[in-house]
């Protein structure tokens, strides 16, 4: 069904009386559904934000953008917004999950134009928050602020591994097609680590909370040494 131009939300969002009016001093994005399809605009650049560039970086949702939940479409939009706003692939790939959870999941279409909008100030505030949370990534065995002091991340070429310093406990994080696979295992006197707990997390979700849960489980099983 074709949409008459007088009823098109893209006409409404650019009127002087509308709350989604472009602020010329700041970047502003607006989103709405047109003919049941999600449309996201960069009003400052007078351009439609397409998912193509973000899909080259993070392929969470082939159909494209969505918002208002923590699904794959919202993850793709979070990546697209950060990539467009910062023009920095490292920032977008590292922080899009947290940005989805904190910001994109809360977006909803409202007001006379039935749209949502984000300003550059909104994105800057969100980035200031998410960059304060250090991602769980291999770092050569140095302590990781988001883990207890007796744990550190270690380098492995084929997977992410977190190692306990006081005993031979490990958390191994593997990325599958649809799920993260997390194993808490113990080496001890065995030739191969024995699994103590196994968990899976949907691939679109941040695995960091599950890693921290398994780390806490290890520390509950065997109390950390005082000097760890």
């Amino acid at each position: 069904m074709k949409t008459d131009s007088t009823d098109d939300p893209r006409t409404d969002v650019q009127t002087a009386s509308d709350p989604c009016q472009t602020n010329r001093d700041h970047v502003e994005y607006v989103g709405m559904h047109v003919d049941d399809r999600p449309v996201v605009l960069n009003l400052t650049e007078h351009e439609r934000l397409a998912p193509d560039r973000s899909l080259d970086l993070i392929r969470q949702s082939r159909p494209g953008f969505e918002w208002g939940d923590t699904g794959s479409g919202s993850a793709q939009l979070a990546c697209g917004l950060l990539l467009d706003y910062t023009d920095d692939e490292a920032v977008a790939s590292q922080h899009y999950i947290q940005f989805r959870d904190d910001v994109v999941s809360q977006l909803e279409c409202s007001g006379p134009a039935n749209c949502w909008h984000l300003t550059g100030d909104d994105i800057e505030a969100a980035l200031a928050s998410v960059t304060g949370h250090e991602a769980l990534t291999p770092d050569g065995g140095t302590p990781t602020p988001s883990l207890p002091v007796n744990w550190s991340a270690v380098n492995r070429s084929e997977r992410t591994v977190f190692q306990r310093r006081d005993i031979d406990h490990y958390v191994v994080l593997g990325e599958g097609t649809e799920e993260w696979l997390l194993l808490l295992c113990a080496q001890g006197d065995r030739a191969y680590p024995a699994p103590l707990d196994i968990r899976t997390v949907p691939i679109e979700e941040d695995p960091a909370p599950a890693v921290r849960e398994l780390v806490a489980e290890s520390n509950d099983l065997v109390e950390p040494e005082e000097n760890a």
Side-chain angles (χ1 to χ4, degrees), residues 101-121:
D101 293 348
D102 293 349
V103 178
V104 177
S105 66
Q106 305 303 311
L107 296 176
E108 58 180 18
C109 295
S110 60
N114 196 27
C115 67
W116 57 259
H117 75 288
L118 282 176
T119 67
D121 288 343

Side-chain angles (χ1 to χ4, degrees), residues 33-226:
H33 286 95
V34 178
D35 294 338
D36 295 325
R37 295 181 179 180
V39 174
V40 180
L41 306 173
N42 181 329
L43 292 186
T44 307
E45 299 294 332
H46 305 288
E47 294 179 350
R48 179 168 178 170
L49 183 64
D52 301 31
R53 185 184 179 196
S54 66
L55 284 168
D56 289 339
L57 180 63
I58 300 292
R59 189 168 290 272
Q60 285 277 359
S61 173
R62 289 184 178 86
F65 297 146
E66 257 307 341
W67 51 82
D69 57 29
T70 56
S72 58
S74 293
Q76 199 69 54
L77 176 58
C79 181
L81 287 168
L82 291 180
L83 188 58
D84 187 74
Y85 179 74
T86 67
D87 197 28
D88 189 323
E89 292 186 354
V91 169
S93 61
Q94 184 175 358
H95 299 299
Y96 77 97
I97 289 293
Q98 194 69 32
F99 187 72
R100 175 200 65 181
D101 293 348
D102 293 349
V103 178
V104 177
S105 66
Q106 305 303 311
L107 296 176
E108 58 180 18
C109 295
S110 60
N114 196 27
C115 67
W116 57 259
H117 75 288
L118 282 176
T119 67
D121 288 343
D122 296 330
I123 297 174
E124 289 288 351
L127 280 175
S129 174
V130 301
T131 54
H133 169 77
E134 186 160 336
L136 297 176
T137 53
D139 58 10
T142 58
T144 303
S146 51
L147 294 178
V149 295
N150 64 318
W151 285 80
S152 62
V154 296
N155 284 325
R156 295 291 185 273
S157 59
E158 72 281 6
R159 62 179 62 89
T160 303
V161 178
F162 305 94
Q163 182 175 1
R164 187 165 166 173
R165 294 178 168 192
D166 47 339
I167 62 173
D168 288 331
H169 277 195
Y170 306 82
V171 172
V172 181
L173 173 64
E175 181 178 357
T177 303
E178 299 180 353
E179 293 180 318
W180 296 99
L181 176 64
L182 300 97
L183 294 90
L184 171 63
C185 47
Q187 183 80 40
D189 295 328
R190 301 175 180 86
Y192 298 97
L196 301 175
D197 196 359
I198 299 174
R199 301 190 185 188
T200 57
V201 176
I203 197 68
E204 67 267 18
E205 294 185 13
D206 185 357
V211 171
R212 288 192 288 268
E213 289 174 9
L214 290 176
V215 165
E217 181 177 339
S218 168
N219 284 355
D220 288 341
L221 288 171
V222 182
E223 188 173 345
E225 297 176 359
E226 291 183 2

